[in-house]
Amino acid sequence: MTDVIFGVDYYPEHWSPERWPIDARLMQQAGINTVRLAEFAWSRLEPREGTFDFSWLDEAIEIFMAHGIRIVLGTPTAAPPAWLIQAHPEILPVNEAGQRAGFGMRRHYCPTQPTFHAATQRIVEAMAEHYHQHPAVFAWQIDNELGNISNGNRCHCPSCHAAFQQWLQRRYGSLTRLNQDWGTVFWSQEYTAWEQIPIPLQNVRSWVPGSAHNPSLYLDFARFTSESWERYQHFQMQILRAHCPQHLITHNLMGLFPYVDYVALAEELDVVSWDNYPRMPTSRNASQGNWSPSRVAMAHDLMRSLKGRTFWVMEQQGGPSGWGSLSPTPLPGELRLWTLQAIAHGAEAIVYFRWRTSRMGTEQYWHGILPHDGTPRRRYAEIRQTGEELQRLGALVTTSLSAEVAILRSYDVLWAFEAQPTSESLSYDDQIGRYYRALWRRNVTVDLVTEKRPWTSYKVLVAPCLFVLSDEVAAQLRSWVEAGGTLVLTFRSGVKNEQNVVVDLPLPGALCELAGVHVTDYTVLLSPEAGPPSGGPASLELSIDGTSHLLSTDVWMDELEVSDAEVLGRYCGGPFAGTPAITMKRVGAGRVIYVGTSLDDAGQDLLIGKVLSEAGVTPGIPSPDNVEIVHRVYENVDHWFILNYGTQSQEVRLPTGGIELLTGKVTSETVTVNALDALVVRSQPDA
Ligand code: GLA
Ligand code: GLA
C-alpha cells in the first residue's frame, strides 16, 4: 500500500446498522482508509460460550470495504463478557490489597489464569479462522493496553502466586541460592519451601511504597508480572500467526507506561502501535488543561526505539477526553499538530480515537471526531485537511529517524525505584525527562533504549540514575566508552546488583573506576517548602570553557571524591559546599561525565551543550521556545518538520531554502510558522 494509513477507531456495535453506511461515507470523504474494529466486542461475537456470531461484523466490514476502507481487527479479550465471569469468577484480578475486582469495567482479567487462556483461545481462534482470508482485513491488534488492569497495577491472585513461585524456581534453581541472593536472613525470611514465598500483598505497613517487602522479591515480582503479559500476548500471537500468516500483528501500547517491559513486549510484534492522548483529564501525560510537547515527543521516541523503526498511533486523541470529567477541548489546529508531531517522530500510521463520541457507557465524555449527535463539525474538517496533507508527504512518512544520542530508560530501574523511591522528590522519569528536554530544546533526535537493547552505535548515552546495574552492562559501558562513546552518569548509579541488593563497593559501584570518582556521602534535597538544607541553599558553580555559571540544584547531592577526573562543577552551598559535583574523565577515545546532583532546565541546557560538543554530535537547528524542529533524511535529502506549539507565530532559519510539502510552496531559508501550525520543508538549496 502506498497510502499513509489514516484511520479511526470505530465501534459498529454502538450504533444502529442504518448509521454504518453514513459513517463509512463520511470517513471516505475525510480520506479515512483504515478502521480498527471489534476491540471490546466479545459479548456480540460470542454471546454464549462456544456460540459465535460474526454476521454483524461481516456486514459492517462489507460496508467499509465498499468505501475503500481497510480493517485492523482487535481481539476483544480486554472485555471478558459477563457470562464468562459468572462461570469463572477466578478470572477476575486481585489487587495489592488482596481484593478481587468485581465485574463492571474492562481489563478485569488475570493474564495467568488457565480458564481465561481457554476462553481466549476460543474467541481468537474463531475470529482468526473466520477472517484469515478476508480481503479487507490486513492487520490485528491483540487485546487492548496490556498491563493496565482494572483494579491496580498487577494481579495478586492464587494463580499468579503459584506461577510466581514456579518462575522463581526456574530462575534460582535452589532455595539456597534464592535465600542468598535475596538476603532473606534479614528479618528471618529464609524460605525452606517454594510455597512459603509470598506474593507482595500490601500486608505490612501499607504506607511504605512497595509495601516494605524485601526489595529483591519485589523486583522479581515486577519482572514476573511483566513476563506474564508477554506470555499472554504470545499466546494470542501464535494463534493469529497460525491462521493469518499474511496479516500484520500489533498491540496498542501506552508510551511511558511503567509496568510492562515494552522492549520485550514489542519484540514479537510486527509493528509497535500506541495510544497518544496529549491532553488527559488527569495528570498521566500532562497537568490538567496543559499538555507537554516534550513529554509526548519522548513517548513517541520511546515507541520508535522499541523496534528501531516507524510505529503506528492506534489511538490519537480526537477530542476532549475523560471518563467522569473532561479535559479541555483540543484547540483549533491541535489535532493536526499532534498528528504531524507523531509523524515527525516516526509514526507511519495515524488512527484517531474514536470516530464518534459514545452516547453510552463509561466513556461518554471521551470525545471522538464526531460529537454525540454524529454531525461532522470542526474536528472532522480538521482531520480531513490533515489526511489530505499526510498523503502529500507520501513515503517520507515510512522512513525512520536516525539518532546520535540515546537515553537509557531501564525497566529494572523503574521497578526498583517503585519498591524504594529513595526520596519523595526523586522520580526516575522526571530525571530522564530533564535530560530529554534539554536535548529536545536543541532539536537533537534522541532514541530511548534499555540496557538490553543495542546502544553501542550512539555517540552519546545518557543513563540517569542507573540504579540497578549488572557487571555485564558495566563492562559493556566500559568498552563502549573506550571505543569513543560519551557516557553521562548521575547520582544513584551502580547502587544495586540485579537482585536489588546494594553493592559491596563505594558508589557508583562497578562504574567507580570508569567515572574516576567515588561517592563519600550523599543527601536528599526535599521540596523547597521544607527549607534549604543544612549548609545553605543547594547550588553549584559549573565552569564550561572558562566561564562560570551559578546553578541551583535539587532532589539529591552526592559528595564526591575524585580519583581521576576533571572537575566541571563544585557545590557552593549545602552540606557538601566546596566539594566536586560534576566531573569528566577521558577514557580511551571516549569520556564519562558524572553528575552528582539534579539540575534545573537552565543547568541542563549548559551541561548538555558541553556533552554534545565533547562528543561531536551534529547540532540541531536552533528554534524559539515552543517550536520543535525534527530533522529527517529521505531520498538523501534533508527534511525538516517545524512544529509550533505556541500561540504566537515564529520564525526559524533553516540551513537551506526548500519546498514546503504540505502546501507545495517554495520557501527561503527563513520560514514563518504560524501559531499551532506545522510546516514540512524539503531542502532544495537552489529554491
Ligand atoms: C525500629 C526497630 C528497628 C529498626 C528501626 C528502623 O526502631 O526496632 O529494628 O527496624 O525501627 O525501621
Ligand atoms: C485507552 C483505550 C481506549 C479508550 C481510551 C479512553 O486508550 O485503549 O479503548 O478507552 O483509553 O479511555
Side-chain angles (χ1 to χ4, degrees), residues 517-568:
V517 295
H518 61 272
V519 177
T520 47
D521 199 3
Y522 49 61
T523 185
V524 298
L525 297 172
L526 299 178
S527 55
E529 300 84 70
S534 57
S539 56
L540 71 83
E541 201 176 320
L542 178 68
S543 94
I544 289 182
D545 306 327
T547 313
S548 279
H549 308 268
L550 186 67
L551 308 179
S552 61
T553 77
D554 63 354
V555 179
W556 187 274
M557 286 198 273
D558 275 343
E559 181 188 55
L560 299 179
E561 198 169 296
V562 172
S563 49
D564 176 19
E566 180 189 338
V567 176
L568 301 181

Side-chain angles (χ1 to χ4, degrees), residues 295 414 417 421 423-434 465 491 555:
R295 202 170 160 82
L414 276 165
F417 275 131
S423 165
E424 64 186 35
S425 50
L426 174 58
S427 142
Y428 182 47
D429 268 346
D430 169 53
Q431 291 299 316
I432 287 173
R434 293 182 192 215
C465 304
F491 63 95
V555 179

Side-chain angles (χ1 to χ4, degrees), residues 106-117:
R106 64 166 173 191
R107 303 220 48 75
H108 46 280
Y109 72 84
C110 159
T112 69
Q113 199 42 253
T115 45
F116 190 62
H117 288 194

Side-chain angles (χ1 to χ4, degrees), residues 11 36 39-40 106 144-145 252 275 277 315 323 353 363 366:
Y11 300 86
R36 182 194 66 186
E39 189 213 38
F40 305 126
R106 64 166 173 191
N144 174 73
E145 298 188 338
N252 57 334
D275 299 343
Y277 294 96
E315 297 180 12
W323 281 8
F353 186 88
E363 295 193 341
W366 208 287

Side-chain angles (χ1 to χ4, degrees), residues 625-644:
D625 282 356
N626 284 319
V627 175
E628 179 181 11
I629 301 178
V630 181
H631 176 232
R632 302 276 293 263
V633 176
Y634 168 58
E635 295 176 329
N636 284 320
V637 178
D638 289 320
H639 290 69
W640 300 282
F641 284 77
I642 306 152
L643 304 143
N644 183 359

Side-chain angles (χ1 to χ4, degrees), residues 44-92:
R44 287 293 169 96
L45 295 171
E46 188 184 7
R48 273 178 308 285
E49 179 170 337
T51 305
F52 298 100
D53 178 8
F54 295 110
S55 58
W56 64 273
L57 188 56
D58 290 345
E59 194 188 327
I61 293 177
E62 284 307 314
I63 293 168
F64 287 118
M65 209 166 74
H67 289 81
I69 294 171
R70 303 205 304 161
I71 313 298
V72 179
L73 278 180
T75 66
T77 44
W83 60 257
L84 177 61
I85 297 302
Q86 185 189 26
H88 296 290
E90 70 278 11
I91 286 173
L92 293 166

